[in-house]
Amino acid sequence: MLIRNFSLKATIECGQFFNYKPFEKGYIVINGQDVFYVEQRDNELIYEGTTKEKIEDFFQLNVKVSQPVRVIKQDPWQCIVSYICSSASNVKKIQKNIFLLSEFFGKKVKFKGKTFYTFPKISKINNLEKITQAKTGYRAKYILAANKIVNNAFLKSLKQSTYQEAKNQLIQIPGIADKVSDCICLFSLEHHQAFPLDVWIKRHTEEMGWQGNYKQLSQKAIEHYGPFAGWTQQEIYHKIRL
DNA sequence: CTCCAGGTGCTTG
DNA sequence: CAAGCACATGGA
């Protein structure tokens, strides 16, 4: 598949998505129940174990934004759990949480001669002791609560909601507030304007001379960067972290 | 040993 | 509202 102005490495590793493992010259990606392999060769994207349609969906190739770091569209439930884990943590530790949760509650699959685990389906992450064993710390009780609240009806409603409505539903889940709900909106619900404000991005808004609380800063960003503010946020975040 | 990490919840003023 | 702190865990 041909793809220009794109960096698979930057897109996978920039901290928006956690459930991957470097493999051969590319990555094994685990998105919900899907396990597949991707690799970039110049302007070409090679994949195995999945379909063209799923690759296009995952990297949102229908979105005509041309930049090295693309916003990934991940499985919403996996995204919810991942970002509950993200508070006061770091990428490496979040990955550890996700890998362990998958091992304890997910399904074992063989792919390219190795063993992997799919992300647990909704309602499967139902044991507080095991969730704690996944090194999730004080977030364990939030994950358990999320597992109770999130069901098919919740997800269906979430997918049909506007950005604001989705945020309102997400913050009903303990462990999810302004920042995490924005991450879920941007990284799994196609709300491209969502502009997650973490410690790094807040520094950027200060440099822009913007002031106010989370909601006010978020609105400023959307006014300034437009309907794809979230994609700009990823670029800014990537540049700051380099 | 202390500090802090892609925050959030709870308690106070 | 906004400020201050606790919260598990692991790396610097």
Side-chain angles (χ1 to χ4, degrees):
Chain A
M1 184 185 302
L2 199 62
I3 180 165
R4 299 186 188 282
N5 298 314
F6 172 73
S7 167
L8 179 65
K9 182 181 168 66
T11 297
I12 293 280
E13 295 186 12
C14 71
Q16 57 174 320
F17 181 78
F18 308 99
N19 210 351
Y20 68 88
K21 290 166 194 263
F23 190 85
E24 293 175 358
K25 292 180 176 175
Y27 303 90
I28 298 291
V29 169
I30 302 163
N31 186 40
Q33 303 307 300
D34 295 333
V35 180
F36 59 91
Y37 172 76
V38 275
E39 176 190 330
Q40 180 171 24
R41 294 181 195 163
D42 299 319
N43 283 334
E44 210 181 344
L45 207 54
I46 314 288
Y47 54 87
E48 203 176 313
T50 187
T51 63
K52 184 169 183 265
E53 287 69 29
K54 286 197 172 181
I55 290 289
E56 286 172 343
D57 190 58
F58 187 66
F59 293 108
Q60 308 199 82
L61 300 183
N62 61 318
V63 178
K64 301 301 178 191
V65 174
S66 186
Q67 58 181 43
V69 185
R70 296 192 66 81
V71 172
I72 284 174
K73 181 178 152 195
Q74 9 179 336
D75 173 74
W77 170 234
Q78 178 174 310
C79 193
I80 287 169
V81 177
S82 297
Y83 279 92
I84 289 175
C85 291
S86 77
S87 77
S89 189
N90 56 67
V91 172
K92 199 174 175 182
K93 189 156 172 282
I94 301 164
Q95 282 185 319
K96 183 177 189 175
N97 299 151
I98 297 304
F99 293 157
L100 286 173
L101 286 171
S102 299
E103 199 180 317
F104 297 158
F105 300 103
K107 194 174 145 195
K108 185 188 278 196
V109 290
K110 294 266 185 188
F111 184 57
K112 289 174 83 74
K114 285 205 167 188
T115 297
F116 300 96
Y117 294 88
T118 61
F119 190 77
K121 289 183 178 174
I122 46 175
S123 84
K124 292 286 184 188
I125 311 179
N126 55 7
N127 181 308
L128 184 62
E129 194 180 327
K130 275 191 180 176
I131 299 171
T132 305
Q133 283 170 10
K135 305 295 179 186
T136 49
Y138 67 88
R139 308 163 195 83
K141 56 185 179 293
Y142 300 151
I143 296 168
L144 185 70
N147 184 72
K148 261 194 174 161
I149 295 170
V150 177
N151 53 30
N152 285 322
F154 185 95
L155 283 180
K156 188 181 176 189
S157 165
L158 204 56
K159 287 175 186 170
Q160 291 171 343
S161 295
T162 63
Y163 170 48
Q164 278 306 327
E165 288 168 352
K167 283 201 69 160
N168 290 340
Q169 290 170 60
L170 286 165
I171 59 178
Q172 302 303 314
I173 300 170
I176 300 182
D178 270 328
K179 191 268 175 183
V180 167
S181 64
D182 271 332
C183 287
I184 297 164
C185 282
L186 178 62
F187 300 135
S188 74
L189 296 172
E190 299 177 88
H191 294 306
H192 307 295
Q193 74 271 47
F195 196 89
L197 286 155
D198 59 58
V199 285
W200 299 91
I201 298 294
K202 272 183 180 161
R203 195 180 305 164
H204 168 77
T205 61
E206 281 169 20
E207 284 168 8
M208 297 290 283
W210 300 346
Q211 283 163 8
N213 60 25
Y214 189 99
K215 191 174 181 179
Q216 293 164 329
L217 289 174
S218 173
Q219 281 175 351
K220 284 244 184 197
I222 294 170
E223 284 167 22
H224 187 80
Y225 293 116
F228 288 86
W231 289 61
T232 309
Q233 190 268 15
Q234 275 302 283
E235 273 203 320
I236 298 167
Y237 183 77
H238 184 63
K239 276 184 190 167
I240 297 175
R241 296 302 301 266
L242 281 180

